[in-house]
Amino acid sequence: MHPLRTLVIELYDKQVIQVGSFKLKSGITSPIYIDLRVTISYPSLLRQVVACLQDICRSLSYDILCGVPYTALPFATLLSVENSVPMVMRRKEVKDYGTKKAIEGVFQPNQTCLIIEDLITSGSSVLETLEPLVKEGLVVKDVVVLLDREQGGKDNLRKHNIQLHSVLKMTDILEILKDSGRLSADKVAELFEYFHSTQVSSNSSIPSGMASHNLSFEQRLSMIRNKVGRRLLEIVLKKQSNLAVAADVTTSQELLSIASQVGPHICVLKTHVDIIEDWNETVCEQLVHLAKSHQFLIFEDRKFADIGNTVELQFTGGIFHISQWADIVNAHIIAGPGTIQALRKASEHCGILLLAQMSSKGNLAVEEYTQKAIQFAKQYEDAVFGFISMGCIGEPNFIYFTPGVKLEKGGDSLGQQYTDPKTVIGIQKSDIAIVGRGIIHASDRKEAALTYQKACWDAYVQRIGK
Ligand code: S5P
C-alpha cells in the first residue's frame, strides 16, 4: 500500500482524525477533529509521520530546523537527529521580562531555517513562529507541514514569500477515507462542502504584516500613542466590553433610545449622523451626555475620503460640526495622507481610524491597499490609533475594529458579509466588534447587546488565554 494511504488509515484508526461534531478551541463547531498530539503515544505512527516529512525535507536546503510549538516539536526533533541538522526552539510565552530569549538554541544570523508544523489552517501559528525567527536574523523560505486543511494557509504564507509543502491535504485524506471504506461517500461530500464553505478568504484572513502578538488590553494600554486610543482601552477594560454598536437609525429619538439601552454594554457607539433626519444641537448634547454617563466613546463613521482642505471643512463645519463632539472618526486613504493631516490639524481630541479593509463583497481594499494604510498609520501614530479591518493586521500598538459582525453568519442583499464574534475576535484577532443590525433589529436591544458583549468578551479572554 502507498505509504500515505497507510498513514491516513492509521491516523484514522488511532483516532488522530475523528469525524463527528467538535467544538474547537476557537469556539467554532467542526465536523472533523484532528489531534496530532496523539502521535507521540504510538512510536510506529510517529516514525511514519516523520518519514513522510523527511521525504519533503530532503528536497529542500536549510541550515537549521524549528518546530512550531508544541505538537510539531517532536517531529522537528526527530528530523534534526535523523539528518544531523541543528534545531532551535521558539518560546511560546510572551516575552515581556527582559533577558529571556525568544529563540532557544545556537544559530547565526542569515542561516536558513526550515519550519516544521503539524497542521495548518490559516497559517497564523506558523506566522507567530516566523516573526521571532526573522527578528533574530534567520531566513525562512519554506514550511513543511504534515496536514494542510486547505483553508487559506498556503496563500497567507505565500504573501510572506514562504512556500508551504504539505505531506497531506484535507482532500487527499477524505478521498483515502472514502476509498478505504472508513467514511461513506455522502459523509465525504458533506465534509467537502464544509471545507469549501469555511475557506478563509484572502480578505477575511490575516494579511501579511499580521500581528503575531497575543497581548492583553492591559499590556497594550501603554503602547498606544493616541490618547483617545488609550481612553478606549481603559473603557474596554473597565466595562469588560469590546463591543461597538452601529446605530444606523434615521431619527434622533431612536438614536438616543439605542444609546441609553445599549450604553452600559458597549465601549463605542458608532453613528452615521447624516442619516438622522432631525439632528440638531440639543440631540447632540443629549448624546454626549449619554456617552459620559454610560462611559462609551462616540465614533462618527464619516469615512472621510477627500483632499485635505475639503476634509477639514467637512470635519469642522457644515451642520454637523463633527469635530466638536466625535471622539473617533475614520478615513479612507484613497486621497493620500492629506486626509489624515487635515483631521489631525483640526482636532487633537479626536482619534482616527483608517479603513484598511472592508466587510463588503468585492471591495477594493486588497492586500497592497491594506499595507499602505498600515504605513500611513505608522506615519501618523499620534493621531491614528487603529483600523477598520477584518482582524488584526498589524502590531499591538494599534486597535482593530471589525464591522460586519453578527451571531448568524451570512450577509444582506447589498453585499454586506457577516462573520460571528468568535471568529472575528478569537481567530481573526480583532479587538473591537462592530455590530449593527444584529442588535438594532433585535426585539430586545438591551438583551441583544448583553449577548454580544459576552460573546465578544469571552472570545477575547479565550484568545489571550486568561
Ligand atoms: O467595511 C465596512 C466598514 C464599516 S465602518 N463595513 C461596514 O459595514 N461598516 C459599517 O458597519 C457600516 O457602515 C454599518 O454602519 C456597520 C455595519 O452594520 P450592520 O448592520 O451590517 O452590522
Side-chain angles (χ1 to χ4, degrees):
M1 215 194 295
H2 191 282
L4 288 184
R5 197 177 149 81
T6 317
L7 177 64
V8 170
I9 291 173
E10 193 144 355
L11 288 172
Y12 185 79
D13 291 347
K14 297 255 172 4
Q15 299 195 326
V16 174
I17 302 173
Q18 293 181 57
V19 174
S21 176
F22 306 92
K23 195 144 189 174
L24 304 181
K25 203 171 145 206
S26 57
I28 287 175
T29 304
S30 168
I32 199 157
Y33 183 63
I34 299 164
D35 183 2
L36 285 155
R37 281 167 296 200
V38 176
T39 51
I40 54 171
S41 303
Y42 302 100
S44 76
L45 181 59
L46 184 57
R47 196 175 300 122
Q48 282 182 65
V49 165
V50 172
C52 291
L53 291 167
Q54 169 77 330
D55 280 347
I56 297 182
C57 295
R58 241 194 295 274
S59 63
L60 304 169
S61 70
Y62 54 94
D63 306 310
I64 213 155
L65 280 163
C66 180
V68 175
Y70 293 102
T71 312
L73 289 182
F75 302 169
T77 311
L78 288 168
L79 287 166
S80 159
V81 172
E82 180 84 16
N83 296 319
S84 301
V85 171
M87 178 175 129
V88 289
M89 269 198 307
R90 175 178 82 84
R91 291 188 151 272
K92 206 167 157 47
E93 65 273 32
V94 177
K95 186 178 166 265
D96 57 356
Y97 38 79
T99 53
K100 282 251 170 75
K101 296 177 197 158
I103 303 293
E104 300 287 355
V106 181
F107 57 90
Q108 303 296 326
N110 293 324
Q111 279 188 311
T112 302
C113 179
L114 175 66
I115 296 182
I116 307 293
E117 173 65 306
D118 63 320
L119 182 140
I120 188 163
T121 306
S122 72
S124 56
S125 310
V126 169
L127 293 177
E128 280 175 17
T129 292
L130 173 73
E131 191 181 89
L133 291 172
V134 171
K135 257 195 194 146
E136 294 289 342
L138 288 163
V139 179
V140 180
K141 295 182 194 152
D142 300 283
V143 173
V144 176
V145 64
L146 182 68
L147 206 162
D148 178 4
R149 282 178 71 114
E150 297 177 285
Q151 288 179 292
K154 195 173 174 113
D155 286 345
N156 274 331
L157 293 185
R158 199 180 295 125
K159 288 177 193 161
H160 293 256
N161 293 323
I162 290 176
Q163 210 183 335
L164 179 72
H165 310 265
S166 55
V167 171
L168 285 164
K169 296 191 180 59
M170 191 51 88
T171 339
D172 308 328
I173 293 181
L174 295 179
E175 287 295 349
I176 293 171
L177 292 177
K178 185 174 73 177
D179 292 347
S180 66
R182 293 319 192 259
L183 293 179
S184 69
D186 284 354
K187 190 77 211 167
V188 168
E190 187 193 309
L191 293 169
F192 268 129
E193 175 54 35
Y194 166 79
F195 281 101
H196 183 72
S197 65
T198 54
Q199 273 292 318
V200 184
S201 77
S202 61
N203 196 27
S204 65
S205 65
I206 310 118
S208 52
M210 163 260 174
S212 55
H213 81 81
N214 201 19
L215 303 182
S216 65
F217 288 134
E218 281 99 334
Q219 287 168 310
R220 290 163 67 192
L221 193 52
S222 60
M223 300 172 140
I224 313 282
R225 267 190 64 190
N226 176 271
K227 59 175 187 274
V228 180
R230 288 199 299 275
R231 168 100 186 99
L232 170 63
L233 288 193
E234 281 164 6
I235 294 175
V236 165
L237 286 164
K238 186 163 178 206
K239 294 175 79 173
Q240 300 209 329
S241 173
N242 51 342
L243 170 67
V245 163
D248 292 352
V249 287
T250 53
T251 65
S252 58
Q253 195 200 347
E254 257 210 297
L255 174 68
L256 296 173
S257 128
I258 289 171
S260 57
Q261 285 167 341
V262 306
H265 305 293
I266 60 174
C267 57
V268 167
L269 185 82
K270 190 173 79 60
T271 55
H272 280 297
V273 72
D274 54 354
I275 63 174
I276 307 282
E277 54 205 36
D278 54 345
W279 177 263
N280 58 43
E281 241 173 70
T282 320
V283 175
C284 185
E285 276 165 21
Q286 287 172 305
L287 184 64
V288 170
H289 177 74
L290 283 167
K292 279 216 176 81
S293 57
H294 289 301
Q295 294 195 38
F296 60 77
L297 298 183
I298 305 175
F299 166 16
E300 167 52 24
D301 185 4
R302 175 61 181 77
K303 297 189 180 71
F304 292 102
D306 216 318
I307 60 160
N309 184 58
T310 309
V311 164
E312 188 178 353
L313 296 169
Q314 289 170 325
F315 183 36
T316 55
I319 51 170
F320 298 122
H321 304 287
I322 297 167
S323 62
Q324 289 179 16
W325 50 270
D327 300 298
I328 304 169
V329 288
N330 55 355
H332 285 295
I333 55 157
I334 189 78
T339 312
I340 305 168
Q341 287 160 0
L343 296 170
R344 184 172 71 150
K345 177 177 155 221
S347 166
E348 58 176 42
H349 304 294
C350 194
I352 304 166
L353 301 175
L354 297 184
L355 284 121
Q357 293 178 325
M358 291 196 74
S359 63
S360 45
K361 237 178 237 163
N363 74 76
L364 306 181
V366 293
E367 175 68 6
E368 210 181 317
Y369 189 89
T370 306
Q371 291 306 323
K372 259 290 186 245
I374 295 172
Q375 191 189 315
F376 282 163
K378 286 184 179 164
Q379 215 173 328
Y380 297 97
E381 206 186 323
D382 55 337
V384 177
F385 72 93
F387 299 93
I388 298 289
S389 59
M390 302 320 292
C392 179
I393 53 165
E395 285 149 26
N397 49 334
F398 291 106
I399 302 173
Y400 304 90
F401 284 63
T402 300
V405 180
K406 215 176 192 189
L407 282 164
E408 305 78 29
K409 285 186 182 175
D412 67 12
S413 60
L414 294 174
Q416 177 66 301
Q417 305 179 106
Y418 289 115
T419 312
D420 63 278
K422 274 181 187 160
T423 307
V424 165
I425 306 290
I427 297 179
Q428 293 168 204
K429 299 188 175 183
S430 183
D431 296 317
I432 312 288
I434 302 176
V435 181
R437 284 165 280 182
I439 290 174
I440 300 307
H441 288 180
S443 53
D444 185 337
R445 287 168 175 162
K446 190 170 171 55
E447 197 182 291
L450 177 62
T451 306
Y452 275 94
Q453 177 191 4
K454 257 190 79 40
C456 296
W457 190 255
D458 287 352
Y460 157 73
V461 170
Q462 209 177 28
R463 176 180 104 203
I464 61 157
K466 260 190 175 175

